[in-house]
């Protein structure tokens, strides 16, 4: 696969495919933090050390294939344009920290974009597996395999008592962060979410809006992840997270049913108004776009809107971020120009659905 | 509501601090909250980050008095030989410099780790294959011993005997490996 294709094929597999419970769970992710023995951590290492690590990965893993995920390509941060980096961040393939503050950062990206291995971020190695729907166990299995594969070539910093040693004490132990991205519009609409978030926090899990800043969750999309990494096994952490996620799914489904019963036509009206905005707007800010997309997606899940694919929310939440819009436009854009582009891109995408349906009817 | 600190200005900042399940509420005015800067890292919105939050958490370690009267006492002067990071720097940036820092600062880490990981200080997850062998065995024995105690407590002696035999055979393997490696 060519380098260009990474950027031009905007949609990764986790956005376009469906997984278990994907009416509510958009994606599942496992991240493992690892460091190499005898190298100082990226916070203080020298450029020689950094380059040695990058070349190790370049020689050992780049252009190689691994089972189902396909070939790996190595992308060096220093060789990418700012917009290209931004696009990778918006697709959740690399972290903002790697893109902006890691001069010796690199990323091994698998062909299907399910796996990205960040190099020289906060830790030497961060293995990330991103799967559609609720597939934490599957993602953990994949991450473990990759971890073993890498370990064939490097010596990990590990302590018998403390586990995998990481740059930040919040990651020591398993070095694992498991997270799930969920669309919870009914819990937000019924305000139950305000009660649920503190309860989840008390169970040692973190809830935050995936998009947007602070507590605000753009598009009613929430990310739930484990807080602690020490003292619990990877399997236990994943199991605990999974059981909370399952309860949330059940609560969201119940809230949706209740909304349909109590609001009925009002809810349908809201969904179609949002659809109307998306299909006709000539300028739209990201906040409004996110809310409308969330409404439309809820409408699809509830069966009000037919013939539009579900993944439109995942796709458009990602493709309407500033980096992508600028790539789509082929250059830098002022905020106002972005709103115009965003509106155009959304209309274009909805027309694509219409065309698909017309072809289907014939 | 009036600020609980100066008891004059209206309280505009409300914080809830939860440490080990113990809940304390604070209602302060902007000025008093600012003075409490260290305690309420959230105040400086500009550079609110996990980094600061963590550094704040680590700083709790050293009582404020000690820090102001004598900066060069206690763990602050401790320095990692490999990466030259001092304990003081570590508490400032909230990141270790290298894997040896964990050994150098070992004495001061348990309270920090406990706070970050709900009271846990010992890893119980995956073990790298390379370390494998002996470490795996020791871990297995440790887990089985815990299980043994549980079974004994529940008076399930038949099962306990089985587990005891498992432990014995693992310990035998461990001794053999140990000798082999020596």
């Amino acid at each position: 696969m060519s380098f260009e294709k990474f950027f031009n094929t905007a949609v990764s597999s986790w956005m376009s495919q469906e997984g278990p419970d994907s009416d509510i769970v958009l994606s599942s992710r496992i991240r493992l933090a690892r460091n190499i023995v005898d190298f100082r951590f990226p916070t203080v290492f020298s450029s020689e050390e950094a380059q040695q690590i990058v070349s190790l990965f370049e020689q050992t893993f780049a252009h190689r294939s691994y089972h189902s995920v396909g070939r790996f390509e190595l992308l060096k941060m220093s060789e990418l344009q700012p917009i290209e980096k931004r696009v990778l961040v918006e697709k959740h393939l690399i972290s903002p920290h790697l893109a902006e503050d890691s001069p010796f950062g690199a990323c091994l990206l698998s062909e299907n974009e399910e796996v990205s291995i960040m190099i020289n971020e906060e830790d030497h190695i961060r293995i990330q597996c991103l799967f559609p729907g609720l597939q934490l166990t599957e993602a953990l299995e994949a991450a473990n395999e990759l971890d073993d594969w890498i370990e064939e070539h490097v010596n990990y910093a590990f302590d018998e008592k403390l586990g995998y040693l990481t740059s930040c004490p919040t990651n020591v132990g398993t070095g694992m962060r498991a997270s799930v991205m969920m669309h919870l519009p009914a819990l937000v609409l019924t305000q139950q979410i305000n009660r649920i978030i503190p309860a989840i926090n008390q169970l040692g899990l973190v809830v935050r809006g995936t998009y947007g800043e602070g507590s605000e969750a753009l598009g009613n999309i929430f990310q739930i992840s484990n807080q602690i990494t020490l003292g619990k096994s990877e399997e236990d952490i994943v199991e605990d997270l999974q059981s909370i996620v399952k309860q949330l799914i059940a609560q969201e489904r119940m809230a949706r049913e209740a909304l349909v019963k109590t609001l009925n036509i009002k809810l349908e009206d809201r969904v179609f108004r949002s659809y109307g905005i998306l299909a006709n707007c000539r300028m739209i800010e990201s906040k409004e776009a996110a809310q409308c997309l969330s409404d439309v997606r809820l409408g699809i899940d509830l069966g009000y809107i037919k013939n539009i694919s579900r993944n439109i929310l995942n796709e458009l939440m990602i493709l309407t971020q500033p980096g992508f819009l600028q790539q789509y436009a082929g250059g830098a854009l002022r905020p106002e120009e972005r709103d115009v582009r965003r509106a155009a891109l959304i209309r274009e995408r909805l027309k694509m659905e219409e065309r698909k349906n017309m072809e289907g009817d014939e | 509501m009036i600020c609980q600190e100066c008891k004059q200005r209206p309280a505009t900042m409300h914080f809830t601090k939860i440490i080990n399940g113990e809940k304390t509420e604070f209602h302060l005015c902007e000025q008093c909250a600012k003075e409490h800067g260290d305690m309420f890292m959230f105040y400086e919105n500009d550079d609110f980050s996990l980094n600061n939050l963590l550094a704040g958490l680590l700083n709790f370690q050293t009582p404020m008095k000690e820090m102001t009267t004598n900066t060069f006492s206690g763990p602050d002067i401790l320095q990692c030989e490999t990466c030259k990071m001092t304990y003081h720097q570590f508490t400032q940036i909230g990141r270790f410099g290298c894997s040896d820092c964990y050994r150098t600062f070992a004495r001061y880490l348990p309270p920090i780790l406990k706070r970050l990981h709900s009271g846990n200080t010992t890893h119980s997850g995956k073990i790298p294959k390379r370390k494998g062998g002996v470490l795996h065995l020791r871990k297995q024995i440790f887990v089985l011993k815990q299980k043994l105690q549980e079974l004994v407590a529940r008076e399930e002696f038949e099962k306990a005997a089985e587990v005891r035999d498992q432990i014995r055979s693992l310990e035998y393997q461990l001794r053999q490996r140990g000798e082999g490696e020596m």
Side-chain angles (χ1 to χ4, degrees):
Chain A
M1 163 140 60
S2 78
F3 173 79
E4 259 67 42
K5 207 180 160 204
F6 277 127
F7 297 102
N8 295 336
T9 30
V11 178
S12 324
S13 68
W14 72 268
M15 292 183 244
S16 56
Q17 287 169 11
E18 294 208 350
D21 294 309
S22 60
D23 55 331
I24 293 169
V25 180
L26 305 181
S27 68
S28 304
R29 182 170 68 154
I30 295 284
R31 183 269 277 155
L32 299 175
R34 300 288 186 254
N35 286 285
I36 309 173
V37 133
D38 296 332
F39 286 93
R40 286 176 291 173
F41 294 156
T43 12
V44 297
F45 66 3
S46 65
S47 53
E48 287 80 34
E49 281 175 294
Q51 266 144 12
Q52 272 184 46
I53 294 171
V54 173
S55 36
L56 172 86
F57 274 86
E58 197 165 18
Q59 283 156 21
T60 327
F61 302 102
H63 313 301
R64 276 187 58 184
S65 296
Y66 187 77
H67 296 311
S68 57
V69 298
R71 251 163 84 94
F72 279 99
E73 293 294 331
L74 187 91
L75 310 175
K76 289 183 191 168
M77 289 307 118
S78 57
E79 292 169 5
L80 296 183
Q81 296 299 315
I83 293 182
E84 293 172 328
K85 286 196 264 189
R86 180 117 199 212
V87 164
L88 288 172
V89 172
E90 289 174 0
K91 288 173 95 167
H92 305 285
L93 294 173
I94 64 172
S95 66
H97 182 74
L98 189 79
E100 284 151 32
D101 309 312
S102 311
F104 304 105
C107 169
L108 267 178
L109 196 58
S110 76
E111 203 167 334
N112 65 359
E113 299 190 348
E114 254 175 31
V115 178
S116 87
I117 301 169
M118 288 190 278
I119 297 150
N120 293 340
E121 203 237 22
E122 189 184 285
D123 294 294
H124 295 141
I125 304 166
R126 286 199 163 186
I127 304 164
Q128 178 184 280
C129 294
L130 196 55
F131 281 41
L134 182 56
Q135 300 194 70
L136 280 172
T137 330
E138 291 80 357
L140 175 62
E141 209 173 294
N144 268 333
E145 278 179 28
L146 286 158
D147 185 35
D148 295 341
W149 183 49
I150 293 171
E151 205 209 328
E152 285 171 19
H153 303 274
V154 300
N155 233 334
Y156 282 149
F158 183 86
D159 179 89
E160 200 171 323
K161 187 164 176 280
L162 294 175
Y164 291 93
L165 302 177
T166 52
S167 166
C168 182
T170 51
N171 294 319
V172 73
T174 59
M176 183 183 82
R177 197 73 60 203
S179 62
V180 168
M181 224 203 279
M182 302 181 84
H183 181 225
L184 304 172
L187 291 180
V188 173
L189 212 60
T190 56
Q191 298 188 350
Q192 289 181 67
I193 198 81
N194 301 328
R195 197 168 41 77
I196 290 170
I197 290 177
I200 295 178
N201 286 338
Q202 285 195 328
L203 294 168
L205 300 175
V206 187
V207 186
R208 57 176 152 240
T210 310
Y211 302 95
E213 277 140 42
S215 55
E216 201 183 11
L218 275 191
N220 302 319
I221 298 175
F222 294 86
Q223 184 185 309
I224 299 151
S225 57
N226 63 304
Q227 171 81 58
I228 71 162
T229 55
L230 190 62
K232 267 162 86 175
S233 72
E234 288 83 352
E235 289 76 15
D236 286 349
I237 294 172
V238 160
E239 214 168 278
D240 289 355
L241 177 61
Q242 186 132 321
S243 82
I244 300 294
V245 168
K246 288 228 161 109
Q247 288 179 51
L248 273 172
I249 293 173
Q251 298 243 19
E252 168 71 19
R253 289 213 174 111
M254 255 154 55
R256 285 182 186 187
E257 260 175 54
L259 279 179
V260 170
K261 270 190 201 135
T262 52
L263 295 179
N264 199 5
I265 188 85
K266 282 188 198 149
L267 188 63
E268 193 174 341
D269 178 63
R270 181 187 165 125
V271 164
F272 278 99
R273 276 172 187 276
S274 289
Y275 179 75
I277 291 175
L278 292 179
N280 296 295
C281 64
R282 293 300 187 263
M283 279 177 84
I284 192 163
E285 281 183 22
S286 58
K287 197 173 164 184
E288 190 185 2
Q291 188 52 54
C292 291
L293 283 168
S294 170
D295 287 343
V296 167
R297 167 70 197 251
L298 179 65
I300 297 168
D301 288 338
L302 293 177
Y304 291 139
I305 298 183
K306 294 187 176 73
N307 301 325
I308 292 187
S309 57
R310 260 181 185 174
N311 51 40
I312 203 156
L313 171 73
N314 326 8
E315 268 181 45
L316 285 178
M317 278 302 283
I318 293 196
L319 300 188
T320 56
Q321 293 173 97
F324 263 111
L325 290 176
Q326 297 184 51
Q327 198 202 356
Y328 177 58
L333 292 173
R334 287 197 310 274
E336 205 168 277
E337 295 171 324
R338 270 185 229 161
D339 294 347
V340 175
R341 284 278 167 178
R342 183 177 294 116
L345 194 138
I346 293 172
R347 291 200 317 268
E348 216 31 65
R349 179 68 185 80
L350 288 174
K351 271 193 206 127
M352 215 170 96
E353 292 285 324
E354 277 171 31
R355 275 198 299 274
K356 212 167 64 190
N357 293 331
M358 270 161 52
E359 279 163 26
D361 288 343
E362 277 160 21
Chain B
M1 192 178 280
I2 297 293
C3 170
Q4 65 182 59
E5 199 72 16
C6 62
K7 303 207 167 50
Q8 284 172 359
R9 293 175 285 265
T12 52
M13 320 283 285
H14 309 277
F15 304 94
T16 309
K17 194 169 79 175
I18 302 174
I19 295 175
N20 297 331
E22 214 175 301
K23 213 161 126 186
T24 329
E25 286 187 12
F26 296 90
H27 306 281
L28 303 172
C29 67
E30 212 166 293
Q31 227 158 320
C32 292
K34 224 180 241 176
E35 281 164 25
H36 272 271
D38 261 10
M39 235 164 147
F40 308 112
M41 299 303 295
F42 318 94
Y43 184 69
E44 301 213 335
N45 271 329
D46 311 358
D47 46 33
F48 166 79
S49 68
L50 182 71
N51 233 344
N52 289 345
L53 210 63
L54 198 62
L57 205 64
L58 300 174
N59 268 327
F60 263 106
Q61 275 306 102
T62 343
M64 291 304 268
K65 257 187 213 156
E66 204 181 305
M67 266 179 65
T68 45
T69 51
N70 191 352
T71 332
F72 296 103
S73 72
D76 278 7
I77 51 160
L78 209 60
Q79 189 177 35
C80 175
E81 281 188 8
T82 315
C83 68
K84 310 291 175 227
M85 183 174 277
T86 64
Y87 185 77
H88 181 71
Q89 281 173 317
F90 164 64
T91 61
Q92 292 299 305
I93 60 171
R95 301 281 186 281
F96 293 106
C98 69
S99 48
D100 291 335
C101 289
Y102 279 95
R103 221 176 306 135
T104 318
F105 307 142
R107 266 180 62 200
Y108 303 97
L109 296 183
I112 296 170
L113 294 175
K114 272 188 191 164
R115 201 173 292 137
L116 293 173
H117 298 283
S118 310
N120 296 318
T121 54
T122 312
H123 176 59
S124 64
K126 189 174 180 178
I127 294 170
K129 285 215 170 113
R130 287 199 186 196
K131 306 266 172 187
V134 175
L135 217 56
H136 265 296
L137 285 173
R138 267 191 231 152
K139 204 113 221 177
Q140 265 178 293
I141 293 171
F142 178 75
V143 173
L144 284 175
K145 278 186 175 164
Q146 280 185 322
K147 197 173 159 192
L148 181 65
Q149 279 179 348
E150 278 171 31
L151 289 171
V152 171
R154 274 186 278 150
E155 302 190 1
E156 294 181 32
F157 297 118
E158 260 178 54
K159 279 186 196 163
E162 273 172 37
V163 173
R164 185 203 55 206
D165 292 341
Q166 279 178 321
I167 294 175
R168 277 190 189 155
S169 102
L170 288 174
E171 277 175 341
Y172 176 70
Q173 284 180 40
L174 188 65
R175 273 198 301 278
Q176 284 208 319
R177 291 254 191 125
E179 279 157 21
E181 274 172 26
M182 274 192 279

